[in-house]
Amino acid sequence: MNICFHGLKRELDTNGLPSACNQKEFLNRLSDSPSNLPSSNALLAAWKNTLRRAESRPAILAASGEVLRTFAQIEQESVALRSLWADAPAGAVVGVRIGNHPGWPAVLLGLFSAGLVPLPLGDHLADQEIANVLEHCRAAACIISARRRLALLEPIRRRVPDWPGRAPEFLKLTSGTTCAPRVIRFRACQLLADCRNIMASMAISEADLNYGVIPFSHSYGFSNLLTPLIASGVRLVVSEDRMPRAILDGLGRTGASVFPGTPLLFRKLAELDAVPRLPSLRLCVSAGALLPLAVAERFAARFRLKIHAFYGASECGGIAFDRSSVLPEEGFVGTALDGVTLGDVIGGAEPGRVAVEGLAVGDGYFPIEPGMEPGRFVPEDLIVRAPHGLKLVGRVSDLINIAGRKLNPAAVEEKLRQCPMVREAVVFGVPSALRGEEAVACVVAHPHGDSAGIQRFCARELSPWQVPKDVWFVSEIPTKEGGKLSRRSLAQIYLSRS
């Protein structure tokens, strides 16, 4: 499937709404609509309850405060959108690459109602990557946003994947250890369970207003922003403007009460001068990467708000949340979410991996590969258990093999953060002809920081074999969409410089 903006098959206007349809009349006609037919899809059933309860209430707002959709208009839009994929066979996969478009809930509901399988795709993916993913999943089509209009690439392919076991209702794309795309199969009941776990643990209700600037296509944005709107009527601000001043302006104008962000976003907000008061904002949540304690401290001092760390995985949804009111230690991610059970550390030694069990765990990868089983998933993260919660200290795949010794980069990073010349640091491994691998430190330094001084500090604090062989200075730590850190990607960037 070629990814381009030529030959679009059908498109709707920016709102996707028929202009001459009164909301009340439309709701009265819903009993004759295909969307009202019985469905086993748990999110569709939850949406029906939300719609009956909320009807004409505002559902989606712009960062300016303008109401973009009521709940009734979302349903209306979902019905109107179905003409886009009317030719797709039931059970087919449809990619959704529309950024943070206000039509996202309607697209999701419309695809579910047609018995199709949505696959969110981020704007950060290159066209060829999108083409590879769509072919890998034998997708029938892909919905895009061209000039803010929702459109369908042609042609629609009348094909359905040969699913192993139970057919999915939703797919998530996640990063794997190879270049091949990796997707996870979900049913709507698992997505709904994750939503309920998150809302209960974070005390989020329909009285809240979520500020949505993190990507909706990412598992974090999807579960914290889209599903609470559909399942429980939690209103949503949609924005793609990630400039710090624009975010603060939007938070103030809309009166948003909940702000899911990333460590990078919170760091940039904390660096601003003359910040406004945000009296409506009660909950800041950080996920996608570990929240540095220095960022949490600076943000709390500037805004008088604590950032609450949230830990999850695409395969199983939310895992842990920091419910406390005090600033935590480095790497702290709180306690298990409501509805989530964490097993003992595998093997008994700490740090180690733990099994995540609950109703939100996906059904497995497509195609089938090891690593998941019904209701249970074991992330690669290395965890230390303490009486007050969990602390993340690295990942199994991040361990650096230096002449047969395994170096946990998180241990070196913890020391580097204590260096007065270092603001931020990430450590990764690169190939070495003599020792297999060597450690390199990617550093955001204070103005007086220099490589020799940082390495002298490391030599005093670490064993000789643990000292980074090189210090690579950057103005900002490169991250992927959603703020997630990839040491493998950093190593590739570092090696490409030479």
Side-chain angles (χ1 to χ4, degrees), residues 302-375:
R302 187 63 53 91
F303 292 94
R304 301 187 182 279
L305 280 168
K306 174 183 170 171
I307 305 171
H308 294 260
F310 175 45
Y311 164 51
S314 297
E315 288 85 349
C316 61
I319 299 173
F321 178 63
D322 176 14
R323 299 166 172 86
S324 69
S325 58
V326 298
L327 288 174
E329 59 185 303
E330 201 82 52
F332 184 73
V333 293
T335 54
L337 258 64
D338 292 13
V340 172
T341 300
L342 300 180
D344 294 332
V345 174
I346 295 172
E350 291 190 345
R353 302 164 72 192
V354 300
V356 179
E357 298 179 355
L359 297 176
V361 179
D363 283 336
Y365 298 109
F366 177 73
I368 290 178
E369 59 176 284
M372 295 186 69
E373 56 187 271

Side-chain angles (χ1 to χ4, degrees), residues 384-468:
V384 173
R385 303 189 81 147
H388 57 294
L390 306 177
K391 182 179 177 182
L392 266 61
V393 295
R395 289 174 64 83
V396 173
S397 60
D398 291 335
L399 296 180
I400 304 169
N401 188 352
I402 301 177
R405 302 186 195 184
K406 299 296 190 295
L407 174 65
N408 185 348
V412 182
E413 291 163 1
E414 187 172 358
K415 290 296 183 184
L416 282 168
R417 292 189 192 102
Q418 298 169 14
C419 176
M421 290 178 279
V422 174
R423 283 178 54 194
E424 292 182 67
V426 177
V427 175
F428 54 87
V430 295
S432 166
L434 295 177
R435 302 209 293 173
E437 285 187 293
E438 294 280 8
V440 172
C442 178
V443 168
V444 178
H446 289 294
H448 62 285
D450 65 88
S451 178
I454 292 172
Q455 287 187 311
R456 281 195 300 270
F457 175 89
C458 290
R460 291 195 302 270
E461 299 292 327
L462 298 165
S463 299
W465 70 278
Q466 297 174 315
V467 175

Side-chain angles (χ1 to χ4, degrees), residues 35 68 180 220 266 277 308 348 370 402 417 422-423 474:
S35 69
L68 300 177
Y220 174 29
F266 287 117
R277 289 185 65 251
H308 294 260
I402 301 177
R417 292 189 192 102
V422 174
R423 283 178 54 194
V474 296

